[in-house]
Amino acid sequence: MTQTIYLDYAATTPVDPRVAETLQQYLTPDGIFGNPASRSHAVGWQAEAAVEQARARVAGLVGADSREIVWTSGATESDNLAIKGAAMANQAHGRHVITSLIEHKAVVDCFLWLQERGFEVTWLEPDEAGCISRAQVEAALREDTILVSLMAVNNELGSINPLQAIGALLRERGVLFHVDAAQAAGKMALDVSAMPVDLMALSAHKAYGPKGVGALYVRRSPDVTIEAQIHGGGHERGLRSGTLATHQVAAMGHAFNLALEEGDAEAGRFESLRSRFLDAFGGLSGVHVHGPERARIPGIINIGFEGVDGESLLLALRGVAVSSGSACASATTEPSYVLRGIGLSPEMAQGSLRFSLGRFSTEEEIDTAAERLTEAVARLRERGAARRATV
Ligand SMILES: *Cc1c(COP(=O)(O)O)cnc(C)c1O
């Protein structure tokens, strides 16, 4: 394999080698391979104990009680369970729901699904930095509003929503609040014991755990009622049936525990890598860093380059793995709906790339990436100028 500089940690992270060791302890005959729902023998009990330890660890990272954590296959499923589940269970109180234009597709598509089924959706427009304000949510609330869903951290911009303020408003009005925290867990403090959030989606593979496992936080007090979306053996207190993937669950627990122990130090390191990266562009003109200056996580850096096409830049940056827009939307060549959603022109949105830093990023990689990027932008601009001169 060639040495790619990986700067796409917001799309997915590699599994931390310490977590990979945990994964392997729950598969083979000499490991804890039992079905955690098997109640009649020690093989099952051991698996159940591993699942419960992991549940406590995931709960621990976000200030929840273990009994508030439901295992799922990832944040997509958690978003589906939270949004459809809350809408279905509470529709007798009203059928108006609120979200924003720059949510992850896992949220957007659930709201479109609700819309097709007769729910009324208000799509809030973020400010130019990518944030939704409490005042905006307040203005959109109605008598029949039952649910608001907003992300903690935007996956393309790194912008942070004011969850505390919005949550307090919604608690006061008796409206459920779902938060997609896939990009936030492990990257900033999240404490549901102090934050009025009712439902929260988490994913393992954005935080050095494996793909295919996630969790939904469902508040117990005040009690939140949602309808199950997957039916079967009544696992997870009836909220999500299906035999638990013990290895995945244990690995997510380990990954989240590492985030609890190392997250603060890591954020400090990302902050300095970010500055180092941005400083390296000092000589380039027409460079715009999208997203807020302060209400943001340091690991996501979305940059627009005037007069440069993002796809050409991606190609010119061979050896550096970055993305234009999110991984989920990159099958299309449309400019990112998130960047369009914060008011960027199609050209500017098209000329922007997301660089995301992670645990294994080094100063050397950052320096090399910045150098290649500076060269590529200059080269593409020269070529563009030459082409314009000949027509
Ligand atoms: C990655 C991501 C998801 C989807 O999570 P999966 O675990 O891959 O299903 C949802 N929301 C946000 C904000 C994400 O970044």
Side-chain angles (χ1 to χ4, degrees):
M1 207 172 74
T2 54
Q3 280 296 319
T4 301
I5 297 177
Y6 187 73
L7 291 177
D8 204 10
Y9 282 84
T12 194
T13 61
V15 174
D16 188 296
R18 295 168 286 181
V19 173
E21 269 177 40
T22 297
L23 257 175
Q24 288 169 9
Q25 290 165 17
Y26 297 91
L27 295 165
T28 46
D30 57 338
I32 301 175
F33 66 85
N35 186 330
S38 293
R39 290 282 153 75
S40 54
H41 48 69
V43 180
W45 303 333
Q46 284 172 349
E48 189 193 18
V51 164
E52 292 316 312
Q53 184 201 35
R55 201 189 298 277
R57 288 174 146 186
V58 168
L61 181 66
V62 299
D65 182 296
S66 286
R67 293 168 297 179
E68 298 174 312
I69 299 297
V70 176
W71 298 114
T72 66
S73 62
T76 299
E77 188 190 331
S78 300
D79 284 329
N80 273 262
L81 176 56
I83 297 165
K84 296 176 182 174
M88 290 298 132
N90 296 283
Q91 56 183 325
H93 306 299
R95 306 192 91 210
H96 177 237
V97 290
I98 300 173
T99 189
S100 93
L101 284 175
I102 63 165
E103 297 299 306
H104 190 273
K105 285 283 183 198
V107 168
V108 170
D109 287 357
C110 286
F111 277 89
L112 289 174
W113 186 88
L114 289 176
Q115 204 163 272
E116 280 164 22
R117 278 154 191 80
F119 285 81
E120 249 187 277
V121 181
T122 297
W123 301 90
L124 299 176
E125 265 180 60
D127 64 18
E128 78 271 1
C131 299
I132 299 293
S133 70
R134 174 188 155 120
Q136 267 181 295
V137 176
E138 187 160 27
L141 284 178
R142 309 191 325 204
E143 272 304 303
D144 59 344
T145 310
I146 54 168
L147 172 70
V148 175
S149 176
L150 295 170
M151 64 212 311
V153 170
N154 183 274
N155 49 305
E156 291 188 35
L157 296 163
S159 50
I160 301 176
N161 274 321
L163 301 179
Q164 187 71 38
I166 294 171
L169 165 73
L170 296 177
R171 178 64 50 80
E172 206 177 282
R173 300 292 182 87
V175 175
L176 290 177
F177 189 21
H178 169 57
V179 171
D180 179 338
Q183 293 287 347
K187 317 220 167 69
M188 57 178 270
L190 282 176
D191 181 6
V192 294
S193 73
M195 203 163 57
V197 163
D198 301 301
L199 298 151
M200 193 162 79
L202 302 165
S203 177
H205 77 97
K206 305 287 173 68
Y208 311 96
K211 295 164 192 57
V213 63
L216 180 66
Y217 158 77
V218 184
R219 185 179 286 282
R220 281 170 64 89
S221 172
D223 189 35
V224 172
T225 313
I226 56 172
E227 260 184 28
Q229 302 297 304
I230 293 180
H231 304 92
H235 306 75
E236 299 297 282
R237 289 173 287 110
L239 284 179
R240 202 279 192 174
S241 289
T243 301
L244 290 173
T246 316
H247 60 305
Q248 301 279 77
V249 157
M252 179 168 177
H254 191 178
F256 273 42
N257 195 239
L258 291 175
L260 183 68
E261 288 170 353
E262 300 170 7
D264 285 350
E266 211 157 52
R269 202 173 73 84
F270 295 162
E271 202 62 71
S272 77
L273 285 178
R274 177 190 180 98
S275 304
R276 189 180 180 99
F277 189 57
L278 292 175
D279 287 348
F281 299 115
L284 272 186
S285 61
V287 175
H288 303 272
V289 181
H290 308 310
E293 244 162 69
R294 283 201 283 152
R296 53 141 180 87
I297 57 160
I300 295 181
I301 314 172
N302 199 314
I303 316 181
F305 302 91
E306 279 173 24
V308 173
D309 172 61
E311 292 299 317
S312 313
L313 189 52
L314 270 184
L315 287 178
L317 271 180
R318 212 161 301 171
V320 185
V322 296
S323 68
S324 57
S326 75
C328 328
S330 43
T332 69
T333 52
E334 290 282 294
S336 146
Y337 69 92
V338 171
L339 297 184
R340 295 286 287 129
I342 59 169
L344 297 188
S345 68
E347 295 73 33
M348 186 74 253
Q350 196 77 264
S352 299
L353 293 182
R354 176 187 69 185
F355 300 84
S356 44
L357 313 171
R359 185 167 293 167
F360 308 104
S361 302
T362 63
E363 290 188 346
E364 197 187 352
E365 285 183 323
I366 294 300
D367 293 346
T368 308
E371 212 171 282
R372 287 193 201 163
L373 183 59
T374 311
E375 278 167 20
V377 170
R379 194 159 10 104
L380 290 171
R381 280 183 179 160
E382 268 169 38
R383 210 187 289 164
R387 199 177 310 122
R388 277 192 301 279
T390 56
V391 286

